[in-house]
Amino acid sequence: VSTQSTGSSGINAEYGEQEAEIEHLEGEVERLKVEHTDTLQQMKSNFLKEKVCHEQDADSKIKQMKQKANDEAVQCLVEHTQKISGENKLLRKELLMLIRRSQALTEHKLELQNQGKALVREHQITKDLKKLRKVHVEEANEAI
């Protein structure tokens, strides 16, 4: 009976050790679960912070790119406006020159028309005088 009791107490001792080991391992599993959850939370928090940082950085870069594009567009419009303004000045100058030339040609045309009319009148007068002279000479010859 004493060997049974020694064997039984050995089993009980081993069973107690195993129970203590199981309890220790369950505690370790619980601690690791908490640690794992904390690590996941920390990683998630870090990820969200980095995400916000990257979004802010992207927003800032987009804003800078928009501003740069806007500045370039404004500069392009200014240059184009200046170019057109310069061309307009040249065209205005040329137009004024052409208007003056046209006025001068119109005045010259009127002068030539007036001279033509005067020449036609002079020619008619000369013709009329020749006729009168001829008639006068004929009358004088008849009188002789």
Side-chain angles (χ1 to χ4, degrees):
V1 180
S2 76
T3 40
Q4 276 185 347
S5 113
T6 312
S8 167
S9 67
I11 291 177
N12 284 339
E14 192 175 320
Y15 181 74
E17 286 176 17
Q18 287 177 350
E19 289 239 348
E21 181 67 23
I22 289 172
E23 218 175 281
H24 170 70
L25 290 174
E26 285 176 347
E28 187 65 21
V29 166
E30 193 58 36
R31 185 188 68 75
L32 288 174
K33 278 184 182 178
V34 169
E35 186 179 315
H36 179 69
T37 302
D38 288 347
T39 301
L40 284 176
Q41 277 303 113
Q42 187 61 43
M43 288 174 73
K44 186 176 181 180
S45 175
N46 289 343
F47 171 78
L48 292 175
K49 285 177 186 174
E50 285 181 25
K51 181 181 173 188
V52 166
C53 227
H54 287 296
E55 286 174 350
Q56 289 173 343
D57 188 42
D59 289 344
S60 174
K61 286 180 181 177
I62 288 171
K63 186 177 178 182
Q64 288 174 352
M65 289 171 71
K66 281 182 180 178
Q67 185 61 45
K68 183 179 178 186
N70 190 35
D71 292 345
E72 288 175 2
V74 167
Q75 182 62 32
C76 184
L77 285 173
V78 166
E79 289 172 5
H80 188 65
T81 302
Q82 289 172 344
K83 179 182 174 191
I84 289 174
S85 179
E87 289 173 0
N88 283 346
K89 285 179 183 177
L90 290 175
L91 290 171
R92 189 177 304 114
K93 214 175 191 180
E94 186 178 342
L95 179 62
L96 287 173
M97 183 188 70
L98 290 172
I99 289 171
R100 286 187 193 114
R101 176 128 169 88
S102 173
Q103 289 171 339
L105 289 173
T106 301
E107 288 174 14
H108 187 65
K109 177 184 170 186
L110 289 173
E111 288 173 11
L112 290 175
Q113 286 174 340
N114 289 335
Q115 285 177 2
K117 288 176 186 176
L119 287 174
V120 167
R121 278 193 304 271
E122 283 180 33
H123 180 68
Q124 189 61 43
I125 290 171
T126 305
K127 232 167 112 180
D128 290 345
L129 284 174
K130 281 183 183 178
K131 275 186 190 178
L132 283 174
R133 210 177 275 150
K134 186 178 177 184
V135 168
H136 188 58
V137 167
E138 285 176 3
E139 285 177 358
N141 284 340
E142 283 179 12
I144 308 184

